[in-house]
Amino acid sequence: MKGLGTDEAAILQLLTARSNAQRQEIKASYKTLFGKDLVHDLKGELGGKFETLVVALMTPPLTYDVTSLHHAIKGAGTDEKVLVEILASRTPQQVKDIIAAYKTEYDHDLEKDICGDTSGHFQRLLVILLQVTLILSSFLVTSLLLLHQKCFAFFQALFKAGEQKYGTDEQSFITILGNRSAEHLRKVFDAYTKLSGYEMEESIKRETSGSLRALLLAVVKCARSVPSYFAETLYYAMKGAGTDDDTLIRVMVTRCEVDMLDIRAAFRRMFACSLHSMIKGDTNGDYRKTLLLLCGGDDA
């Protein structure tokens, strides 16, 4: 970055070849050596989507999630897509850490902020997803012990809430889908399909709408396979005219060290092209080069 011009190629090669933890060490060493904030200097040298992507890569994962949620709630309107993606896909421990970090960073309660910005059944399921972390460890033990006995009762309740009645009892969907472990839910989905003849996702699409539908589907898809959920999220971020760059950046940054190989495999299985080729065809410049390095390879 010194002098006239910027060596963008060196920046993107250096940052994508390191883990987030290593990038934090680089940031600290940069401050010690030069007395400057690395992220501030990067913002001064870069621009556009490439700058947004690099700054995201320089942010610790927990801080990135917390900041994303805060912006989703506190901006003009509510970015429900961000709330759905983060709260449906993160592990119970990650959600617990997010709640604590949000409180530390903003001196606000995440649940109260979400309740102040959302409403109805959508709000209720978000709150349940926040609460379940507090009881999960004991719940998992009892859930596994009672799985077979309870399963029939749960899928019957789901069937009665949706397919077997005129109108939908959304609260039943919310309570059942929001309070179960992923392993338990997969058993429930299988049993539900045998009883009703429908996949759970089909019933949700027919019986609900709007942001509630999106959140219920995200919970179901993440219970089945988190990598498949993110493969689909990435596909629809790039499909058609225009690109949802915010989603593309958020998913690539938050999953590149978690399950990117699994996402790539799921993407290739689910769609007619590879994730690498779709990114290549939908982006350009240093922004594209960085995303392709995060992707890590082509599964043509």
Side-chain angles (χ1 to χ4, degrees):
M1 293 185 286
K2 190 173 185 293
L4 291 173
T6 307
D7 189 349
E8 286 91 352
I11 291 171
L12 67 89
Q13 288 284 351
L14 277 165
L15 296 184
T16 56
R18 271 69 184 175
S19 68
N20 191 281
Q22 289 172 320
R23 290 193 286 269
Q24 302 316 311
E25 291 179 19
I26 291 169
K27 186 161 65 174
S29 295
Y30 187 92
K31 187 76 172 270
T32 302
L33 286 168
F34 306 111
K36 295 179 179 181
D37 181 74
L38 176 54
V39 174
H40 180 269
D41 282 1
L42 286 167
K43 285 180 178 179
E45 295 286 329
L46 310 175
K49 292 175 284 190
F50 180 48
E51 177 195 331
T52 305
L53 177 55
V54 167
V55 170
L57 285 169
M58 292 303 302
T59 308
L62 179 58
T63 305
Y64 188 75
D65 276 352
V66 167
T67 306
S68 298
L69 286 169
H70 186 255
H71 288 163
I73 299 166
K74 290 302 175 187
T78 307
D79 191 341
E80 293 167 344
K81 187 184 294 184
V82 174
L83 299 182
V84 167
E85 181 193 302
I86 292 177
L87 295 182
S89 67
R90 300 307 188 253
T91 66
Q93 186 58 51
Q94 284 173 325
V95 175
K96 195 173 181 180
D97 292 341
I98 286 168
I99 292 167
Y102 189 94
K103 179 74 173 175
T104 302
E105 182 67 26
Y106 301 109
D107 196 26
H108 272 249
D109 185 76
L110 178 57
E111 183 184 327
K112 286 182 180 176
D113 281 357
I114 286 175
C115 286
D117 223 48
T118 59
S119 60
H121 295 297
F122 177 64
Q123 178 197 89
R124 290 175 197 171
L125 183 50
L126 287 172
V127 170
I128 287 172
L129 291 172
L130 290 171
Q131 296 302 320
V132 76
T133 60
L134 305 176
I135 58 166
L136 196 81
S137 56
S138 59
F139 175 79
L140 274 174
V141 175
T142 51
S143 179
L144 290 170
L145 287 172
L146 300 174
L147 189 58
H148 298 294
Q149 301 97 304
K150 294 271 188 181
C151 197
F152 182 77
F154 280 124
F155 75 69
Q156 263 201 331
L158 277 171
F159 186 53
K160 287 174 182 174
E163 300 294 344
Q164 209 177 48
K165 64 185 288 185
Y166 181 76
T168 308
D169 180 3
E170 286 93 346
Q171 189 58 47
S172 294
F173 272 104
I174 289 165
T175 304
I176 292 164
L177 295 180
N179 282 294
R180 312 294 161 217
S181 71
E183 185 174 353
H184 195 167
L185 283 176
R186 287 192 291 272
K187 298 284 186 183
V188 173
F189 300 156
D190 291 342
Y192 179 87
T193 301
K194 288 175 185 174
L195 177 74
S196 68
Y198 298 106
E199 291 287 347
M200 180 58 62
E201 292 89 335
E202 292 177 75
S203 293
I204 290 170
K205 286 175 184 176
R206 270 201 308 275
E207 301 289 339
T208 62
S209 61
S211 53
L212 175 62
R213 175 197 283 182
L215 183 53
L216 286 167
L217 285 173
V219 170
V220 171
K221 287 172 183 176
C222 286
R224 290 194 190 279
S225 167
V226 171
S228 295
Y229 167 73
F230 279 114
E232 188 176 350
T233 301
L234 286 167
Y235 178 79
Y236 286 108
M238 293 182 279
K239 185 178 183 288
T243 304
D244 182 352
D245 290 296
D246 288 340
T247 297
L248 180 56
I249 290 169
R250 190 173 57 251
V251 174
M252 293 301 292
V253 167
T254 57
R255 308 313 293 188
C256 62
E257 293 180 47
V258 180
D259 50 6
M260 185 54 67
L261 286 172
D262 293 330
I263 290 170
R264 278 170 43 187
F267 195 100
R268 193 67 190 88
R269 188 174 63 251
M270 294 164 72
F271 305 110
C273 61
S274 67
L275 176 59
H276 189 280
S277 64
M278 195 164 189
I279 291 171
K280 191 173 182 179
D282 216 59
T283 58
N284 55 55
D286 293 317
Y287 176 56
R288 173 169 65 187
K289 291 175 187 174
T290 309
L291 287 171
L292 291 177
L293 286 168
L294 292 176
C295 180
D298 193 358
D299 308 293

